[in-house]
Amino acid sequence: MPTEVALLESRALRGEQMGRVDVLDKVKSLVMLPDGIHVRTEDVARYFEVSTETVKKVIQRHRAEVEENGLTVLRGSELRIFHRDMLSLWEGEVGESYPQAATQLTLYTRRTVLNVAMLLRDSDIARCVRTYLLDAEESLRTQYASLDHRVTRIESCLTGVGSALQELGPVLMRMSERLDSLDRKVEMTHQVVGAMSLRLTDVQQGVVRLDGRMDSFAGQLKDLRRRSGQRGQS
């Protein structure tokens, strides 16, 4: 786990923490300009409870880094446009005069303020921010370690399942072969039953024809008896 000193000294470590701007409001409320995006040097100094000169010295020593993380200096037409936009927002929401800089205005984003918090040594608020960052990272590391342990256990279980499946494979193969053999036997039975059904149909038709012939013979016999009876009477 990195220490506070390491965070103060290492730009690479600070870069790893730049997405944690939510930590700022956990320590202290950061009052933004009306656009909800920027703050000025005096706002940053007020947040960290230090002088504006202290903030400016940190910016001078680490200019490239803080500019990479959102520091902007407005001049000329850009400054006039920004003042105009802020004035309309300020008057619409607060009803006060928006304070304007004479020739230039240095603006900070939340990301820039977090960057300053990891650079500012003589501020209790900055130290609290760094402590939150380090504690959160340690908690995250602990969660990752726990997750890694659980994944390892799952992998071990899956290894056992793989071995069991390998042993079960031959058994399943034999069962599949027996089922295939049973399917063939059932198919043969269906064929035999079909052939028997056809033969029974033929037999039924033969019985029907025989019944017809028997009925005809019975009719002839009855007619013969009737004729014999008539001859005896004469």
Side-chain angles (χ1 to χ4, degrees):
M1 173 182 174
T3 63
E4 184 179 357
V5 174
L7 197 61
L8 287 165
E9 298 296 336
S10 172
R11 181 173 177 176
L13 288 177
R14 291 193 293 271
E16 293 176 359
Q17 303 294 332
M18 289 312 305
R20 299 296 314 281
V21 294
D22 59 299
V23 171
L24 295 172
D25 289 320
K26 290 181 179 179
V27 175
K28 183 181 178 181
S29 178
L30 178 62
V31 180
M32 310 297 292
L33 289 176
D35 65 352
I37 299 174
H38 299 97
V39 292
R40 301 159 300 175
T41 302
E42 51 266 41
D43 301 320
V44 177
R46 189 177 301 112
Y47 177 82
F48 289 113
E49 299 177 2
V50 296
S51 66
T52 55
E53 291 302 318
T54 301
V55 176
K56 289 178 181 179
K57 287 179 181 178
V58 171
I59 298 302
Q60 289 172 359
R61 288 196 298 268
H62 304 275
R63 189 81 188 186
E65 181 178 345
V66 292
E67 285 182 346
E68 182 180 317
N69 288 302
L71 184 77
T72 306
V73 179
L74 299 181
R75 299 181 181 88
S77 61
E78 290 183 342
L79 179 59
R80 288 192 295 272
I81 293 172
F82 184 81
H83 279 326
R84 182 193 63 198
D85 294 341
M86 290 302 101
L87 184 60
S88 63
L89 291 171
W90 196 282
E91 290 179 344
E93 296 183 5
V94 182
E96 301 178 4
S97 297
Y98 170 71
Q100 300 183 17
T103 58
Q104 67 178 38
L105 179 63
T106 302
L107 295 176
Y108 306 66
T109 64
R110 287 180 176 272
R111 188 180 179 94
T112 320
V113 177
L114 181 60
N115 198 167
V116 173
M118 291 186 280
L119 294 168
L120 191 58
R121 296 176 181 270
D122 300 325
S123 167
D124 291 337
I125 301 299
R127 277 192 288 270
C128 286
V129 172
R130 292 193 291 270
T131 298
Y132 263 96
L133 288 173
L134 296 173
D135 288 348
E137 181 170 345
E138 178 60 22
S139 175
L140 189 61
R141 289 177 184 271
T142 301
Q143 293 177 15
Y144 277 142
S146 175
L147 180 60
D148 181 68
H149 178 66
R150 292 170 63 185
V151 170
T152 301
R153 290 180 57 188
I154 292 173
E155 289 176 345
S156 299
C157 293
L158 290 177
T159 300
V161 171
S163 300
L165 289 176
Q166 289 178 353
E167 295 176 359
L168 189 59
V171 177
L172 294 175
M173 182 63 69
R174 290 194 295 271
M175 291 179 63
S176 177
E177 292 174 352
R178 293 181 63 182
L179 288 173
D180 289 341
S181 176
L182 181 60
D183 285 341
R184 289 192 295 270
K185 290 179 179 180
V186 170
E187 181 62 26
M188 292 177 63
T189 301
H190 285 166
Q191 293 176 0
V192 171
V193 170
M196 291 178 63
S197 177
L198 291 175
R199 294 185 64 183
L200 287 174
T201 300
D202 293 340
V203 170
Q204 184 180 14
Q205 292 175 353
V207 169
V208 170
R209 289 194 297 271
L210 181 60
D211 285 343
R213 293 177 66 183
M214 291 294 293
D215 290 340
S216 176
F217 179 74
Q220 293 175 4
L221 182 60
K222 184 176 181 180
D223 185 57
L224 180 62
R225 288 177 178 174
R226 186 178 64 254
R227 290 177 182 179
S228 299
Q230 291 175 354
R231 290 175 183 174
Q233 292 176 0
S234 62

